[in-house]
Structures are given as C-alpha cells and as structure tokens.
Amino acid sequence: MREITLSNGKTVNVECLSCALTSGLVVPDGGVVLETEYFHAHQDVAYPIRGLIILASKRHITCFDELSEAEKLDYIHVLTTIRKAQREILGIEYVYYFYNEDTTHHFHTWMVPRYDWMYDFGRSVESVRPVLLHARNKMNNEENLEKVMEAIHSLTRELNPSKKILNE
C-alpha cells in the first residue's frame, strides 16, 4: 500500500491510484470528466491546475504498445475530444502531453495546459516539474480551487451533455 496525498489535502492508502480512480474507489474532486469502455479522464488529483487532465487506461498496463487495437482507437479519439474541449471551452491555447512507462500507476497521459504564469518557470519540458510544485504549494487556495472546479464542470458538461455534474 502507498499513502498518496491529493491536492485537496486528503490522503489515501492504495496499491495503485489508477485502479482506485478508474474503479470509483477514489473519486476525484469534481468527478469523472469523461469515461469510455477503456479510459477514464479526470482532473489531476495531485496538482490544482485548471484543466490539467489525466487520461488513464482502465486496464492495468503501463506501456503504449500494450494497448489493444480497440484501446488505441479509443485513446486517440478521447485525447483529441478532450483537447478540443480544453481549447473551445477553457480557452487553453497550448498543452504539454506526458506519458511515462516507469509509472506506479496505469498507462496514462497528462494533458498539462500552458498558462502565461508558467513561462516564469521556463518554456521547455524542464519547466513542468517546478510548475506542478508551484501549483501544489502556492495555488492550493479557495480562489484557485473554485476555478479548477468550474473548469471540471465545464469540461464534463461539454463532453457528457446528459450527465449530472457532481457538487454542482
């Protein structure tokens, strides 16, 4: 078991955070943004950055080449659908995409928006870690969390028009 601290300050003890999230054992603040047969999309539970979406495989795999043909098709469709909503609904002009195979979680892709304030930390991949830590340590306040929740609800409404939005 691993103890993981979420951005809301709560801690959870889980074998695999992705298993806990995709199964519903741990519900991310604001709920699930989009869910398909193969993937689960939610606001990152560790870093309070408006529109930072994690797209996670429901199946416990870690590598891109482990995706089935159906999962590959679903992945690219879901990824592009979320990206379009980030641009059109949240006004996010640029996103950095990250995926790593040595993760302790499932195969997942981080869709990290780039906001003007982030350029103070640099313009390359090396700036992302300081940006994430800044968000966790300095932006974990009521005003920012309200913006994060509003973005979650906006994306969820756009991507699931008939879905009831949690905490709204």
Side-chain angles (χ1 to χ4, degrees):
M1 289 289 229
R2 294 179 50 222
E3 184 175 284
I4 299 171
T5 302
L6 308 178
S7 66
N8 62 13
K10 295 178 186 172
T11 58
V12 293
N13 288 299
V14 294
E15 295 273 337
C16 171
L17 182 58
S18 294
C19 283
L21 287 162
T22 61
S23 71
L25 182 62
V26 171
V27 178
D29 286 348
V32 179
V33 173
L34 181 64
E35 188 167 14
T36 68
E37 182 178 352
Y38 303 110
F39 289 94
H40 183 280
H42 55 274
Q43 169 73 34
D44 188 298
V45 296
Y47 305 104
I49 297 174
R50 180 180 173 269
L52 194 172
I53 300 298
I54 301 295
L55 179 58
S57 167
K58 287 184 174 180
R59 203 160 56 90
H60 193 97
I61 59 171
T62 56
C63 299
F64 219 2
D65 62 339
E66 293 178 272
L67 293 171
S68 70
E69 290 303 314
E71 288 168 327
K72 290 175 196 176
L73 292 172
D74 193 41
Y75 173 76
I76 197 66
H77 175 74
V78 173
L79 195 69
T80 57
T81 299
I82 293 169
R83 180 61 189 107
K84 182 178 180 186
Q86 285 175 314
R87 183 185 328 281
E88 293 179 356
I89 303 306
L90 302 182
I92 296 170
E93 189 173 350
Y94 299 110
V95 168
Y96 282 11
Y97 298 89
F98 294 95
Y99 126 82
N100 57 301
E101 294 182 346
D102 61 350
T103 181
T104 58
H105 307 305
H106 292 201
F107 169 84
H108 64 283
T109 302
W110 296 31
M111 301 175 73
V112 183
R114 290 298 289 187
Y115 293 108
D116 288 343
W117 65 266
M118 295 175 169
Y119 293 112
D120 291 343
F121 297 91
R123 293 177 103 45
S124 73
V125 67
E126 294 166 347
S127 71
V128 175
R129 183 72 177 149
V131 161
L132 295 175
L133 292 175
H134 173 81
R136 177 184 281 169
N137 297 326
K138 304 289 186 192
M139 297 174 67
N140 217 346
N141 57 59
E142 190 174 327
E143 180 184 348
N144 185 58
L145 295 176
E146 282 180 24
K147 291 176 183 177
V148 169
M149 289 302 291
E150 183 243 86
I152 294 168
H153 294 158
S154 295
L155 286 174
T156 303
R157 272 193 302 277
E158 177 67 18
L159 299 168
N160 309 275
S162 62
K163 183 177 180 180
K164 182 179 179 341
I165 310 299
L166 291 177
N167 304 322
E168 204 177 36

